[in-house]
Amino acid sequence: MSTTRGNSRLSYRSEGKGPLVIMLHGLLMDGQCWVDNGFVSAFSPFFRVVCPDLIGHGDSDRVDGQDFYTRENQVLTIVKLMDEMGYDKAHVMGYSAGAWLAMGLLDSYPERLTSVVLGGWDCLNGIPETPFGKLSFAMFMDYARETAPELTQSLSPADERSAECFFNELSKQFKDDGKLLARSTPKLFWAGANDPYYTSMFELAQKHAIRFVAGKGDHLGEVNHPDRETATHILNFVKARCLSGING
């Protein structure tokens, strides 16, 4: 494990050599999820793969203050990571909250992106509606404790406060995010067939002529246990962007 310097420090895993691929995890997870699901072993023979623990997660910095978790601040932590590693550009892959952060990079630093993979996230509406209104943090945590206790059972009170600050930022509407999908940066959408976000992501992909990879899982299962075909599609997309950059 390595750590970036200065304020808002990120802890990260790094493996392989070549063009940079940054993998961004979802809420309550950490960079280890990309090791556990096989993506690092699939990508590292061809790329320098970096999997940071996002702010407030894993071994990265956490602060009990809302401003620390804004998308703008978190985008800067990823750009600083790229700078410290000596890379001008990166392929960025984000799932759920990681896709929300990848959209922030697409907004503020499109020139630093070679391609972007957006998984398990409604890029227009963000946090989903429930029969009782917009999903709240308390509702989210109750659901996570019931369906994914492995993500919640080791959380300290400080961890939970950090997660709530992060969730509060996820809940904000970024009305211009839909316009970002028209940008020329190569994009791929990825969702499991049983993910509540699947339909909205598929419709957005069709509207903007964005490539779409459909897995077989639900929201959490798709990133934790992606099938081999899905991982291969995503890998081939990223590899093809490298070739098109060389040829172009």
Side-chain angles (χ1 to χ4, degrees):
M1 296 284 288
S2 301
T3 305
T4 56
R5 299 186 294 271
N7 297 324
S8 302
R9 293 172 301 175
L10 295 185
S11 180
Y12 63 92
R13 299 147 184 82
S14 177
E15 189 171 327
K17 296 180 180 179
L20 182 62
V21 173
I22 300 177
M23 300 181 177
L24 306 175
H25 63 79
L27 195 64
L28 302 184
M29 307 181 82
D30 59 32
Q32 181 65 30
C33 74
W34 299 106
V35 177
D36 296 341
N37 71 6
F39 270 61
V40 170
S41 62
F43 278 74
S44 58
F46 312 99
F47 299 97
R48 177 80 176 272
V49 182
V50 173
C51 306
D53 296 342
L54 300 185
I55 288 295
H57 292 76
D59 293 326
S60 291
D61 281 352
R62 47 179 49 75
V63 173
D64 191 8
Q66 193 62 53
D67 289 347
F68 189 68
Y69 298 87
T70 65
R71 192 162 75 171
E72 293 80 3
N73 186 57
Q74 297 205 51
V75 162
L76 290 175
T77 68
I78 303 303
V79 172
K80 183 172 70 171
L81 171 61
M82 293 172 62
D83 290 342
E84 290 189 14
M85 299 189 72
Y87 283 88
D88 293 327
K89 297 176 77 76
H91 303 271
V92 173
M93 180 185 310
Y95 193 87
S96 195
W100 166 83
L101 180 51
M103 288 292 288
L105 286 160
L106 186 60
D107 182 17
S108 300
Y109 294 92
E111 75 281 0
R112 304 295 298 268
L113 301 180
T114 308
S115 70
V116 61
V117 176
L118 302 166
W121 183 250
D122 185 334
C123 299
L124 291 186
N125 301 307
I127 296 293
E129 293 284 343
T130 76
F132 310 101
K134 202 76 169 178
L135 182 71
S136 69
F137 181 69
M139 295 162 62
F140 168 77
M141 288 300 298
D142 286 344
Y143 182 77
R145 289 188 179 100
E146 179 182 347
T147 61
E150 70 277 8
L151 298 182
T152 61
Q153 57 193 5
S154 63
L155 291 178
S156 69
D159 293 333
E160 194 161 330
R161 286 195 298 273
S162 294
E164 183 172 10
C165 288
F166 201 126
F167 184 91
N168 290 340
E169 296 303 317
L170 284 176
S171 299
K172 294 179 179 179
Q173 285 290 105
F174 291 83
K175 295 183 179 180
D176 290 335
D177 273 8
K179 299 177 183 177
L180 303 180
L181 299 178
R183 291 194 169 174
S184 60
T185 305
K187 293 173 285 292
L188 174 72
F189 278 9
W190 162 36
N194 297 310
D195 190 330
Y197 289 131
Y198 180 92
T199 299
S200 61
M201 291 188 70
F202 180 75
E203 290 174 352
L204 271 178
Q206 286 192 315
K207 178 179 179 180
H208 294 278
I210 295 172
R211 290 187 60 180
F212 185 88
V213 172
K216 300 175 182 177
D218 57 18
H219 184 73
L220 186 59
E222 183 61 27
V223 69
N224 280 343
H225 307 288
D227 61 80
R228 182 175 297 182
E229 184 178 1
T230 295
T232 299
H233 277 308
I234 296 172
L235 174 60
N236 287 340
F237 168 80
V238 177
K239 288 169 71 175
R241 303 293 77 74
C242 287
L243 291 175
S244 63
I246 292 172
N247 295 332

